[in-house]
Amino acid sequence: MTSAIENTIIADYTEALSNGNVVLESQLTESCCSDAYGAQYLKNIPKRIIEANFGCGNPTKYVRAGDVVLDLGSGAGLNCYVAAQIAGSNGAVFGIDINPSMLQIAREEAKAFQKATDSAPLRFYQASASNLKIDQELAEERLRTEPCADWASWKNFEQFISDSSQSKPLIDSQSVDLVISNCVINLVGETEKQNVFAEIYRVLKPGGRFAISDNVSDIAIPEELKRDTKLWSACYSGVLQEQEFYKQLQEVGLTGIKIEARNDASTKRIGSVRFYSVTVTGTKPEVQNGKSVTVIYRGPGLELTGDSGRVYKRGVPTEVASQDAYLSTDDALYVVEGSQPVKPKSCCS
C-alpha cells in the first residue's frame, strides 16, 4: 500500500524514534527549526509527543475556535494536540500519517489528554496525504482476511478499494474548515505531490483554509540529490522549488496564496541548492450563489491583480471574480454595494 520512498521514510523515522538515528536527527534539527508553540498549549501535551516533532514551522497559528482541522502527516501528533486546544470542544481534529510508530504515540496519549483539557475530539488514521479516501488499516485488514492469491482475488481487492473510496471515504469531500501540514509534503513522492494538493482542495469546505509549513528550494532539485534517500528523509531531496510549490497549489484551484513566513535562518546549502522553510496560507473559493461582490482597491499601488487575472484598479469599483473571493476580506480593498460604499456604523448610532 506504500511506495518505496514511503517505506524508506517510515523506516528512517521509526529508527529516529526508537534508536536515536543521529544522522537523521541532526539533519532534521538543522533543517526543521519549529516556531515556538504557545507555552499554554505545550504544558498540556506529553513530553514524548513534543520530542517526536519534526516540523519546520507552526501552522497551528491559523486554527480558529470551532474549526474542523485535518493535519496531513500528523506524525506523533504535536500539531493536532495544539490545534485541538485552539479549536475547542466545538471543533474536531483529525490526523493522518503513514507511519504506524508515530500513530501509536499519538493515539496512546489522546484519551488522557482529552480528559485533562477542554479540547476538540482527536482522531488519528493511517493514510496517505495523496489519497485521503482510503483508510490503510482497513485495506490491510482486508488483505489479511482475504489474501490476494491470484488475479481474480487481486481484482476483487481493487474493487473493494474503489467501492470504499466512493461510498465511505476516510475524509469526506467538503468536510474540513482548515487543512494544516508541517514539513510533510516534501516527503511525498514526486509524482504524488499534485494529488496531495488536489486532496486538500477536495476535503475543504467552500471558503475553507489551508496553512502549510514546508521546506522549499531556490532551484529545482538535481536528479542525483533526488536519489539520496537519507536526504529525502531529512526534508531535502523531495522538496519543491519555491515558485513551483505555489504554482501547484494554485493549479488545483486554491486561491489567496500568501507567504506568512519565510525562514532564511534555517537555510542549508547542499551543492548548488539552497533550502529554507516557508509557511503558506490560502483558501478554497466560496460558492457565490449568484451574489456578486464589488470592491474598490484602496492602494497604495496603482492596481492589484487577483488569482483570476482580473485587475482591480485603485479607486475603481470592480466586481470580484469567483477565484478572487478571498480579496473581499483584504484590508487593501473596500467592499461596496454597486458603486456606492457601504456606510459603516458610527460610534453614536
Side-chain angles (χ1 to χ4, degrees), residues 4-312:
I5 190 64
E6 287 174 333
N7 286 331
T8 298
I9 291 167
I10 290 171
D12 286 343
Y13 277 76
T14 300
E15 185 178 354
L17 284 174
S18 59
N19 300 324
N21 185 327
V22 177
V23 174
L24 177 59
E25 287 182 338
S26 65
Q27 289 167 337
L28 284 165
T29 300
E30 187 173 0
S31 143
C32 305
C33 302
S34 295
D35 292 349
Y37 295 87
Q40 71 272 32
Y41 304 124
L42 293 180
K43 70 180 182 180
N44 300 318
I45 301 174
K47 183 179 178 182
R48 65 192 295 226
I49 288 178
I50 297 172
E51 291 178 343
N53 178 51
F54 297 118
C56 59
N58 182 8
T60 66
K61 289 180 180 179
Y62 307 97
V63 178
R64 301 172 185 168
D67 271 347
V68 175
V69 182
L70 172 64
D71 184 7
L72 301 184
S74 53
L78 176 63
N79 291 275
C80 290
Y81 279 72
V82 173
Q85 295 176 76
I86 301 172
S89 57
N90 291 327
V93 177
F94 302 93
I96 69 99
D97 203 276
I98 60 170
N99 190 328
S101 299
M102 291 285 194
L103 288 168
Q104 182 178 353
I105 295 174
R107 288 167 170 169
E108 285 177 350
E109 302 292 349
K111 189 173 182 180
F113 167 79
Q114 290 191 260
K115 280 187 177 180
T117 60
D118 184 26
S119 59
L122 281 167
R123 299 289 185 273
F124 295 97
Y125 299 102
Q126 187 175 342
S128 170
S130 64
N131 188 345
L132 299 172
K133 294 180 178 181
I134 300 299
D135 184 330
Q136 291 187 359
E137 288 170 312
L138 289 180
E140 289 173 0
E141 177 62 24
R142 167 71 180 230
L143 286 173
R144 283 191 291 270
T145 57
E146 299 183 37
C148 296
D150 51 33
W151 180 252
S153 58
W154 171 251
K155 296 304 289 183
N156 286 338
F157 176 71
E158 285 188 321
Q159 189 62 50
F160 166 77
I161 294 296
S162 177
D163 292 344
S164 297
S165 67
Q166 295 301 317
S167 62
K168 296 180 180 179
L170 178 62
I171 307 296
D172 287 329
S173 299
Q174 301 187 32
S175 63
V176 175
D177 295 304
L178 175 69
V179 173
I180 62 174
S181 183
N182 198 348
C183 216
V184 169
I185 293 174
N186 73 82
L187 298 173
V188 176
E190 188 173 10
T191 60
E192 295 296 306
K193 284 182 170 59
Q194 194 70 6
N195 293 339
V196 176
F197 298 131
E199 282 289 78
I200 292 173
Y201 184 91
R202 179 183 68 82
V203 302
L204 280 176
K205 301 173 182 177
R209 300 113 52 216
F210 68 85
I212 299 172
S213 298
D214 219 312
N215 280 350
V216 294
S217 61
D218 62 340
I219 62 174
I221 304 300
E223 289 301 319
E224 63 271 17
L225 199 57
K226 292 179 183 179
R227 293 191 290 268
D228 190 321
T229 56
K230 284 297 181 184
L231 287 178
W232 198 296
S233 293
C235 304
Y236 296 128
S237 295
V239 307
L240 287 168
Q241 191 273 341
E242 185 175 4
Q243 285 70 46
E244 179 64 20
F245 183 62
Y246 309 142
K247 178 185 175 185
Q248 290 201 23
L249 283 166
Q250 189 168 351
E251 283 178 344
V252 300
L254 296 166
T255 61
I257 297 165
K258 181 180 179 182
I259 304 168
E260 301 284 356
R262 195 171 184 274
N263 188 7
D264 291 324
S266 65
T267 299
K268 179 179 177 64
R269 185 180 292 275
I270 300 177
S272 59
V273 189
R274 284 177 58 246
F275 298 88
Y276 42 91
S277 64
V278 295
T279 296
V280 181
T281 61
T283 62
K284 178 177 179 176
E286 291 267 16
V287 177
Q288 287 192 318
N289 295 324
K291 297 180 180 179
S292 62
V293 176
T294 301
V295 298
I296 289 178
Y297 172 51
R298 297 174 183 269
L302 290 173
E303 58 189 32
L304 174 69
T305 303
D307 285 357
S308 68
R310 182 168 297 179
V311 176
Y312 302 85

